[in-house]
Amino acid sequence: MKICFIVLAHHQPSIFHKLINRLAGFNADIIVHIDKRSDLAKFEITDHPNVHFVEKRYKVHWGGWSLTSTICKCLKYGLEVSDADYFMYLAGTD
């Protein structure tokens, strides 16, 4: 059984990095979307080959349609790059 985590983040990059480092220890793929309003450089990760950043970034409003839409777009990307059996959504501060 393989899991692919979908992580949406927009603030607290230090917590985001801890989350990614913990998840990367599993045999899992990680799809990452960083909110368009955030500084992408603060979230950069280069030492985990199973971490895939979504290139097209969106402004996400919590609880709004943009959140649902972005999760769906990340899931679509995940289905293209991962052979996971299950997909799990996490916020960048989980």
Side-chain angles (χ1 to χ4, degrees), residues 17-28:
H17 285 281
K18 289 178 184 178
L19 172 66
I20 298 301
N21 286 329
R22 181 66 58 124
L23 294 176
F26 297 99
N27 180 26

Side-chain angles (χ1 to χ4, degrees), residues 48-78:
H48 297 300
N50 58 336
V51 177
H52 308 276
F53 280 82
V54 176
E55 289 185 30
K56 183 150 173 101
R57 297 167 57 203
Y58 303 94
K59 292 180 184 177
V60 178
H61 301 281
W62 188 87
W65 171 248
S66 59
L67 176 63
T68 303
S69 176
T70 302
I71 292 170
C72 290
K73 290 171 183 167
C74 289
L75 179 57
K76 181 179 178 189
Y77 179 62

Side-chain angles (χ1 to χ4, degrees), residues 2 7 10 19 25 32 37 42-43 53 56 66 73 77:
K2 186 171 181 182
V7 179
H10 69 283
L19 172 66
V32 176
R37 294 168 290 196
K42 292 181 180 179
F43 294 89
F53 280 82
K56 183 150 173 101
S66 59
K73 290 171 183 167
Y77 179 62

